[in-house]
Amino acid sequence: MIKAAYFHIPFCAQICHYCDFNKVFFKGQPVDEYLQAMETEMKNTIEKFPTSELETIFVGGGTPTVLEIKQLDYFLNSIHKHFSFNVNEVEFTFEANPNELSKKKLQLLKEAGVNRLSFGVQTFDDKLLQKIGRTHRKHDVLQTIEMAKEAGFTNISIDLMYGLPEQTIENLRDTLDIAFKLDVQHFSAYSLIIEPKTVFYNLLKKDMLSLPSQEEEAEMYELVMEQMEYYGYNQYEISNYAKSGFSSRHNLTYWNNEEYFGIGAGAHSYVYGKRNVNAGPLKKYMNLIEETGFPYVESHKVTLEEKMEEEMFLGLRKTEGVSKETFAQKYHRSVHEVFGKQIAEQKQRGLLEETDSHIRLTHRGKLLGNEVFQAFIGII
């Protein structure tokens, strides 16, 4: 049974310079019509792919908190109307911009069963925030997190980035120092990746973007790992760190290679053995919903070989790695029978290590993770 659902709200007050997610400016968009189309997709999805209670819900974007109160209320009611979940047991995450949450919105989220907030902070350096196109500033983060705690939220995550233009090690260290004082439960820390069709990509092509070297970026990652461990945050995945009991259950759905619903423009889903991609442009998304009931523009039946490959390159993102027992139970073959050569090669390079129960990245392997993952793709 499918236990996880992702909902995509593609609207933003401002587009960040590094972002390549499916998003549009909020102003002047058919937001109400889009939310109605999302509700239709919810209804049709749960009718076609019945499941029991959801265990994790994640609302991302875009910026979900850019919605006005009435729109937010309609959207949350739609989720409750079409999906079954226990509000006392579900992990219900909402992405938020630090300068777009009011007490009224926080209260509405809390009453709807949202129990986890994920703030896109990125850095506490105001100059850097301006450079990367963020609209909030350090004081917004401090104020909003305090407000969220007062509203009763006890599971708060912060997104941080390193490898940003003109960012230094000391600058990152300052950001981490401030972050740890906030006493939140979870951090995601990602290196900047320059994606096509972003402001940063165009600047890089014009040689107008000053980025840290690969060596400096690796040093930043080492600093993040070291500091997270020092302050009691367990690194349970390449880019994610949590206090005990606060690992993201929703993200673990992806890394455990389990199925999930994906609702909204540009959302991906993995249901009944098929990976589906929804139309990204709002008009196309809404038209497909109206015409066919589903917004799929791609649908792929995952083969057994692909499932085993995904089990490896997704599972190796986790610090504990890939469980030999789980692999054998899922695919009725041992992991060494399928990937023995690749495992041996990566162990010889010092990028993988093996315990009685798991195969996992070494410390050096975490720094070169993409190389390791690539070794398990397209080889069966």
Side-chain angles (χ1 to χ4, degrees):
M1 284 292 183
I2 301 169
K3 301 290 187 182
Y6 172 81
F7 300 88
H8 191 75
I9 303 294
F11 308 109
C12 289
Q14 179 169 322
I15 306 299
C16 301
H17 298 343
Y18 54 84
C19 180
D20 74 328
F21 294 130
N22 190 50
K23 75 283 179 189
V24 292
F25 282 111
F26 180 68
K27 195 173 179 182
Q29 296 294 340
V31 181
D32 293 343
E33 293 87 343
Y34 173 77
L35 294 176
Q36 288 163 14
M38 277 189 85
E39 181 176 7
T40 302
E41 187 189 0
M42 292 180 207
K43 174 180 176 291
N44 294 344
T45 296
I46 209 67
E47 285 177 358
K48 186 173 181 179
F49 308 107
T51 191
S52 55
E53 289 188 345
L54 294 179
E55 294 178 0
T56 81
I57 298 169
F58 195 105
V59 182
T63 314
T65 49
V66 79
L67 295 178
E68 296 170 357
I69 287 287
K70 282 186 178 179
Q71 295 165 340
L72 199 55
D73 189 43
Y74 176 88
F75 169 65
L76 290 164
N77 281 329
S78 296
I79 294 176
H80 277 275
K81 185 175 175 182
H82 298 289
F83 291 90
S84 173
F85 54 94
N86 185 329
V87 291
N88 296 315
E89 296 179 8
V90 71
E91 177 192 83
F92 194 160
T93 304
F94 227 83
E95 284 186 348
N97 266 7
N99 59 331
E100 287 175 354
L101 266 182
S102 62
K103 286 185 179 180
K104 200 168 181 182
K105 283 185 181 179
L106 281 166
Q107 183 183 353
L108 180 61
L109 293 174
K110 196 84 171 66
E111 288 172 354
V114 175
N115 53 23
R116 185 174 184 269
L117 296 175
S118 178
F119 288 102
V121 173
Q122 318 315 355
T123 176
F124 285 99
D125 183 305
D126 284 351
K127 288 182 180 177
L128 258 183
L129 285 168
Q130 185 173 5
K131 188 179 288 290
I132 65 178
R134 300 294 290 182
T135 56
H136 72 270
R137 296 296 177 261
K138 172 186 169 183
H139 68 88
D140 294 314
V141 181
L142 304 182
Q143 183 179 329
T144 306
I145 287 182
E146 186 59 36
M147 197 163 57
K149 288 181 178 181
E150 288 172 2
F153 286 93
T154 57
N155 191 354
I156 296 173
S157 179
I158 285 179
D159 284 357
L160 298 174
M161 293 183 76
Y162 56 93
L164 296 170
E166 298 177 24
Q167 188 180 33
T168 64
I169 291 285
E170 285 311 308
N171 177 280
L172 176 61
R173 191 182 292 277
D174 290 343
T175 277
L176 290 170
D177 287 344
I178 295 166
F180 293 131
K181 287 174 184 171
L182 293 174
D183 191 29
V184 297
Q185 290 70 37
H186 186 281
F187 287 102
S188 297
Y190 303 101
S191 65
L192 173 68
I193 298 173
I194 306 295
E195 301 283 5
K197 300 179 183 177
T198 62
V199 172
F200 278 170
Y201 181 79
N202 294 329
L203 289 174
L204 189 66
K205 285 208 302 185
K206 296 174 184 175
D207 200 25
M208 294 171 62
L209 196 66
S210 176
L211 296 171
S213 66
Q214 283 188 332
E215 291 75 15
E216 288 171 318
E217 190 176 306
E219 194 177 341
M220 289 179 181
Y221 184 34
E222 294 270 16
L223 175 65
V224 170
M225 288 191 286
E226 170 196 299
Q227 289 292 293
M228 290 289 175
E229 183 179 3
Y230 180 80
Y231 282 95
Y233 292 88
N234 173 52
Q235 184 180 20
Y236 67 98
E237 189 267 349
I238 282 184
S239 304
N240 285 269
Y241 310 80
K243 291 283 190 183
S244 179
F246 289 96
S247 298
S248 169
R249 286 157 52 193
H250 186 84
N251 287 343
L252 282 167
T253 299
Y254 304 141
W255 303 321
N256 288 333
N257 200 23
E258 296 168 354
E259 295 192 343
Y260 54 91
F261 296 115
I263 306 290
H268 292 224
S269 59
Y270 185 19
V271 292
Y272 288 29
K274 282 188 176 181
R275 291 196 180 273
N276 305 302
V277 180
N278 287 2
L282 297 193
K283 189 174 181 182
K284 186 171 183 180
Y285 170 81
M286 292 188 290
N287 284 345
L288 281 172
I289 292 284
E290 188 176 347
E291 292 164 9
T292 70
F294 291 92
Y296 304 152
V297 289
E298 291 178 37
S299 191
H300 172 69
K301 181 75 174 174
V302 184
T303 66
L304 176 62
E305 290 76 18
E306 288 168 334
K307 286 178 182 178
M308 290 190 290
E309 289 175 358
E310 290 170 355
E311 193 77 19
M312 294 303 293
F313 69 76
L314 291 171
L316 285 171
R317 291 190 62 91
K318 297 178 294 180
T319 305
E320 70 174 13
V322 174
S323 164
K324 299 177 191 177
E325 183 181 354
T326 300
F327 190 98
Q329 286 174 348
K330 276 186 171 183
Y331 307 111
H332 309 293
R333 297 171 70 184
S334 78
V335 66
H336 279 284
E337 184 184 346
V338 184
F339 296 111
K341 181 185 174 189
Q342 290 72 29
I343 293 167
E345 287 173 352
Q346 299 308 310
K347 283 171 70 174
Q348 192 170 4
R349 294 181 66 201
L351 304 181
L352 281 185
E353 61 186 11
E354 193 167 350
T355 67
D356 289 342
S357 59
H358 286 76
I359 295 160
R360 64 192 183 197
L361 293 175
T362 61
H363 182 82
R364 183 165 171 263
K366 291 176 185 175
L367 299 171
L368 299 169
N370 287 336
E371 288 184 28
V372 181
F373 306 150
Q374 196 63 41
F376 293 94
I377 299 174
I379 52 89
I380 301 178

